[in-house]
Structures are given as structure tokens and as C-alpha cells.
Amino acid sequence: MKATRVERGRFIISSFVFICFLCALASINEVRYDSLLKFGRCALANINMPSKVNASTSNTLLAQSSSSDDEIRILFSILTLPDQYQRRHFLRLIYGTQTPVGAKVDVKFVFCNLTKEDQKVLVALEIMRYDDIIILDCQENMNKGKTYTYFSSLPEMFNDTEGPNPPYHYVMKTDDDAYFRLQSLVDSLKPLPREDLYYGYVIPCPSMDPFVHYMSGMGYLISWDIVEWIRESDIPKNHLEGPEDKIFGDWIRAGHRAKNRFNAKWSMYNFPEPPTRCTHELWPDTIAVHLLKNQEKWIRTLKYFNVTDNLKPSKLYHIP
């Protein structure tokens, strides 16, 4: 009898708990149902009459897409030598602290095959740390085809079907003794064509006509379609030896390329000392300064353009 009463008590308590659970479940479902009704009404209202917020969001996305399409892509290539470790680290400071607006500028250091055991270790470490080096399949040289090897190798290097086409609008070739102000470079390119373009400092120095001779090796820029032409044409590969900037001008002339040309003189010039017909005083309207052969010339140039003005104050250092 006692066992029967205990079992009945357990049954009653279990039944009561189960009923409470059903009541709670019913309340929750009622709340969800009301919420679903409200959600459905809102969705129908949005379908029948799009909100200003949605329209604004769409316009913003379109503007962002358009801005991205208009961004200039530049491969900025510094031709140097494998052993120039300190110069590369210095130039990483120079260009790594510049953030041009309206363009994506990829700075790369370019040289031929490594020939020493220490190079194979140190350059590999640089690549692992910075990923900003291109090693060409050639013997190191200045005027025996290095420039051709560089330009003709680019289409295969950057042949990425999933990336933008072309991968870069422009390719700049410059030296490791030149200082470029990247924002000024970008601003000068914005109004220019993105095809069949040849840009730089016209040689000879007194000339202002970009269609007569060629652009100085201190730094010249071409559009991507000319890069592809260099790879495909027999004209460059049959004419390799000689002053590389002059030879490049010969290719352009023989191939009837670069109907669009831009002379950046006197925004590009040689360092003012010693004075020659190719030099110019440092001045605000500068894109590039060439022949910075020692640290003194670099420091004078960098101080003139106030490159450290954006240094943030901190308790960690004191620079007067």
C-alpha cells in the first residue's frame, strides 16, 4: 500500500511538471508566431516600397566599386644589385612611409641570378620577411639586356587569371639612387591615358619634346600594353646592348609605340650639385630627384621635403 501511494505521488508530480512544460512551450510559440507576423509585414513593406536606407546603401556600394575601378595600379621597380642590402633596407624606409592616395603602388627590387652563398641566405631571408624582390634569370649587367629581361618577364610573372586585367596599369623602372615622391607621381598620372604611354624625363637635358629622343634611365614608366609588346616583339630582343635607356627609346621608335608621351621635366631632375644642364634646385613641384649618390645628398633631399613631419609624439623617444 505504501509503495502504491509513493508511485501515485510521483505520477502526480511528473504530470504537473509536464503540464507546466507544455504551457511554457505554448507561450514561447505564441511569441514566435507574433514575431514572424511582424517580420513578414516588414518584408512585404520593403518589397513593395524600397526604403531610402537600402537605396543609399546601394549607391554607396556602387561608389566604392567605381572608386576601386579608378584606382591606379603601379608596379614600381628599382633595378639594383644582390649585394646592396643596406640600400634596399634604406629604400624600404623611404617608400614604406609613403601612402599615396588613389593608387596601389607595389615597390619591388629587381636583380639577376644570385652567385654567392651568402646571397642565397640573406636574400632568401629578405624575401621571407618583405616579399618585395624579383630575381631575373640572367647574369648581372647594366647595359647588356637586363632591362629587356625584366620587362619581357613580367607578363608571365603576373599572369593571374583570377586577378585584375591588366595586373598593373603602369610599370616604372628606376634606379636605387633616385628618390620618388609617390603621391606626386600618382597625381601626375591621373589625367594620362592608361594605354600606349611612355613617361619620364626627356633626354637630352635641354629638350622638352618627348617624341624626339628617349626618357632618362633615372626613371621611366610605360603602360602595360607596351610591356606585353616588349615580350612579343622581335625588335627589343634583337637590339639589347648599349645604354639601357637609349636602347629602350630605340625599341619604342622602331616599333612605332607610345603615341602617348609625357615629359615630367622639371618635376624630375638630377640633384642640384654639381650643377649641370640636367640639374635643378630642390622645389615643391617635384616628382623625382636623381643621382643621390651619398647619404648627405639623401638627407638634404629628405629634409627639404619634410618627410618626418608625420612623426607622432611619444614618451618612448625624443627627437628635437
Side-chain angles (χ1 to χ4, degrees), residues 6-176:
V6 171
E7 290 175 357
R8 287 178 180 175
R10 289 178 178 173
F11 176 77
I12 292 170
I13 292 172
S14 300
S15 300
F16 179 77
V17 172
F18 182 70
I19 292 169
C20 290
F21 172 77
L22 290 176
C23 292
L25 185 61
S27 299
I28 292 171
N29 286 337
E30 184 177 356
V31 171
R32 289 180 175 174
Y33 180 74
D34 290 338
S35 299
L36 286 171
L37 283 175
K38 291 179 181 178
F39 178 78
R41 288 170 188 158
C42 291
L44 287 172
N46 287 335
I47 292 172
N48 293 329
M49 187 172 60
S51 66
K52 292 182 179 179
V53 174
N54 288 340
S56 175
T57 302
S58 298
N59 290 336
T60 302
L61 290 173
L62 286 172
Q64 291 175 347
S65 175
S66 176
S67 175
S68 177
D69 291 341
D70 291 339
E71 185 179 63
I72 301 173
R73 299 186 297 276
I74 304 170
L75 178 59
F76 188 92
S77 310
I78 303 169
L79 270 63
T80 182
L81 299 172
D83 287 331
Q84 294 284 356
Y85 304 107
Q86 291 186 355
R87 177 56 61 90
R88 286 196 292 279
H89 292 322
F90 175 69
L91 291 175
R92 287 185 181 109
L93 294 177
I94 298 301
Y95 293 113
T97 52
Q98 298 188 52
T99 53
V101 177
K104 178 180 183 291
V105 182
D106 289 342
V107 178
K108 301 288 186 183
F109 298 97
V110 181
F111 42 82
C112 291
N113 288 323
L114 307 181
T115 57
K116 304 176 185 176
E117 289 304 312
D118 63 331
Q119 292 174 353
K120 296 174 184 178
V121 174
L122 297 176
V123 172
L125 287 171
E126 283 186 88
I127 295 172
M128 292 167 64
R129 175 62 182 87
Y130 301 107
D131 192 24
D132 61 358
I133 287 176
I134 295 175
I135 301 178
L136 305 174
D137 187 12
C138 58
Q139 291 185 343
E140 197 58 62
N141 69 90
M142 178 181 292
N143 295 319
K144 293 186 177 182
K146 181 177 180 179
T147 298
Y148 170 75
T149 302
Y150 170 61
F151 282 114
S152 63
S153 300
L154 292 179
E156 184 176 354
M157 287 182 182
F158 295 99
N159 183 22
D160 184 359
T161 56
E162 297 181 359
N165 185 27
Y168 295 99
H169 297 112
Y170 306 113
V171 176
M172 167 69 76
K173 173 268 161 192
T174 186
D175 296 335
D176 60 9

Side-chain angles (χ1 to χ4, degrees), residues 153-217:
S153 300
L154 292 179
E156 184 176 354
M157 287 182 182
F158 295 99
N159 183 22
D160 184 359
T161 56
E162 297 181 359
N165 185 27
Y168 295 99
H169 297 112
Y170 306 113
V171 176
M172 167 69 76
K173 173 268 161 192
T174 186
D175 296 335
D176 60 9
D177 63 346
Y179 167 60
F180 273 80
R181 303 173 71 207
L182 296 182
Q183 188 63 62
S184 298
L185 172 65
V186 169
D187 291 342
S188 71
L189 289 171
K190 287 179 180 178
L192 300 183
R194 295 185 179 180
E195 292 184 352
D196 211 19
L197 179 69
Y198 184 29
Y199 170 114
Y201 175 100
V202 172
I203 293 293
C205 295
S207 173
M208 297 298 287
D209 187 350
F211 289 91
V212 176
H213 295 286
Y214 58 95
M215 306 295 184
S216 165

